[in-house]
Amino acid sequence: MPRLTETRKELRRTQITEAAVRCFDRNGLERTSIADITAESGLSAGSIYTHYRNKADLVRAAAREVLARRADVLGEYAAGDVPPGPDELLSRLIAAIDPAEARVGVQTWGEATTDPAIRDIVVDMTDRMRAMVHDCVMAWLVKVEHRAPAEVRERAAPIAHRVMALYQAELLYTALRSPTEETAS
């Protein structure tokens, strides 16, 4: 059997994580089995276990994939000549919320209260997202508000905290909306 190239392996991992997110959204984290993900992805169980040891690995991979998409967007915002201010940053983050990802995210938060491995994933991902928001706010303070670089780190922390809190509230709100409400808005 020919060996998979790194590009092909990455495509396969993405195929699996996207199938996992769809299953987690539809069935919930607890009720989703590897067999469900196998059926959804169209791959064999062996193929899935080649890339992931267990469901916790898939949850971790799905969380990282969602975070990577947010990281790309936040990095572009921070690097821009005119980074968005906190209100605009929050508006853009909210506009990019995918309802399925929000539901899976909220389920993951719930699982984090009883599963230490999932808790570690949630804490790590939340800390990384908060750091990216913080970097974006710092860029805005320096480039738009013309604050001295030495003072912006402390000043950005509470602003980034509020942006993250409001973003997480919107994730929860989106997760709790029914599919009918999603199509009506």
Side-chain angles (χ1 to χ4, degrees), residues 17 20-21 24 57-67 69 104:
T17 56
V21 168
F24 296 152
D57 274 356
L58 275 165
V59 170
R60 187 176 297 112
R64 284 195 178 118
E65 188 153 319
V66 170
L67 182 67
R69 285 194 288 271
V104 173

Side-chain angles (χ1 to χ4, degrees), residues 21-180:
V21 168
R22 288 190 302 273
C23 289
F24 296 152
D25 176 41
R26 188 173 50 246
N27 306 330
L29 288 176
E30 185 65 31
R31 290 186 312 271
T32 295
S33 66
I34 294 296
D36 295 327
I37 297 166
T38 298
E40 183 75 24
S41 69
L43 300 172
S44 69
S47 181
I48 291 175
Y49 283 115
T50 296
H51 298 285
Y52 301 102
R53 289 187 317 249
N54 52 35
K55 193 163 66 170
D57 274 356
L58 275 165
V59 170
R60 187 176 297 112
R64 284 195 178 118
E65 188 153 319
V66 170
L67 182 67
R69 285 194 288 271
R70 296 297 165 272
D72 290 344
V73 171
L74 288 169
E76 288 173 20
Y77 294 163
D81 290 338
V82 183
D87 291 338
E88 179 64 20
L89 176 61
L90 180 60
S91 292
R92 290 179 185 185
L93 287 170
I94 290 169
I97 293 174
D98 174 83
E101 290 176 358
R103 284 187 289 273
V104 173
V106 170
Q107 290 175 53
T108 306
W109 295 344
E111 288 291 315
T113 63
T114 58
D115 184 329
I118 301 295
R119 181 185 183 287
D120 290 345
I121 295 165
V122 169
V123 168
D124 180 52
M125 294 297 125
T126 302
D127 288 348
R128 288 181 189 199
M129 179 81 175
R130 182 173 284 116
M132 289 183 283
V133 169
H134 186 264
D135 290 348
C136 199
V137 171
M138 285 188 354
W140 170 74
L141 286 169
V142 169
K143 294 178 181 177
V144 177
E145 295 293 302
H146 308 291
R147 303 288 180 177
E151 76 174 81
V152 298
R153 181 165 295 284
E154 272 186 49
R155 189 175 177 94
I159 298 169
H161 179 79
R162 285 192 298 275
V163 169
M164 274 297 293
L166 292 169
Y167 174 66
Q168 289 173 322
E170 283 293 329
L171 282 170
L172 178 59
Y173 175 75
T174 299
L176 294 175
R177 291 172 58 196
S178 71
T180 308

